[in-house]
Amino acid sequence: MRVLDAHQHFWKIGGPGQSWPDADWPAIYRDFLPDDLRAAAVDCDLVGSVLVQSQPADSDTDWMFETAEADPTVKAIIGWVDFDHADAPARIAQLAARPKLRGLRPMLQSIDDSEWILRPEIAPSIEAMLAHGLRFDALIQPRHLAPLHRFASRWPDLPIVIDHGAKPFAARGELDPWRDDIAALAALPNLFCKLSGLRTEQSAGQPASELAPYVAHLVRHFPKRLMWGSDWPVLIHAGDSYADWVQTALDLAAPSSEDARSDLFERVATAFYGIALDH
């Protein structure tokens, strides 16, 4: 089975803009670079990946391009921009000139104001994204789901993907109101979702099988718009290997055909991010 990883990270401890992880995350407190990804995915037919920013810093985004722009495995890069800065549209134009840039990701989960994306001050940045054909990665928690619905309705031409299923409260088995909010968002045609990051929302030792109702809900509401991502190397913090999460996703999403498997593990992501792969 071919795998296009729709969500992975690189970082270099002490590198440009790097502030997380720190020593409180011992399993992932080391450098993770392109060769490490290939080694982690050695048991999979990894045909490419989407490299996503992990630090809220221009210097980290620049470092990602220096590290991976020429790497054959990385097919797309999702960068970070300070949307509040007056020069953000110019910075977006500069980044968009790089062949692998496909989108931007403000780190909404770290912003206290759950309605930050609705502020009129960031509208010029969104307009710049639209002008350059970019996608919006939404790193959100359940508190952001209602504001994201208003945002996505306001910008219907902006392709948006929800990272990590919006990080439901899986550690305590809480499904509502996440379920209704996800269903409402899925009714919007510009919304996609990533089947990623859910293991790290569980408690230590909690079995992956307890994610079944969350995965089933995403599969039900995002037909042809759900894409698999590893969230590697953050995945390691949950105690899983790369192949573990591939198998867990297969077991819980239970794609019913080869076409359904290809959609989840390759085709939705390549279409959303505009990635051309060799076959």
Side-chain angles (χ1 to χ4, degrees), residues 204-221:
Q206 196 172 0
S209 60
E210 293 185 9
L211 293 172
Y214 302 97
V215 176
H217 193 67
L218 296 176
V219 169
R220 176 185 175 192
H221 287 283

Side-chain angles (χ1 to χ4, degrees), residues 178-193:
W178 173 85
R179 276 190 294 204
D180 287 344
D181 289 338
I182 283 288
L185 277 166
L188 301 177
N190 56 328
L191 258 293
F192 289 67
C193 190

Side-chain angles (χ1 to χ4, degrees), residues 1 195 208-209 211-212 215-216 219 228 243-256 261 264-265:
M1 183 184 69
L195 182 57
S209 60
L211 293 172
V215 176
V219 169
W228 180 87
D244 287 338
W245 177 237
V246 170
Q247 189 59 54
T248 295
L250 274 171
D251 292 343
L252 297 183
S256 58
R261 287 192 297 274
L264 179 61
F265 283 94

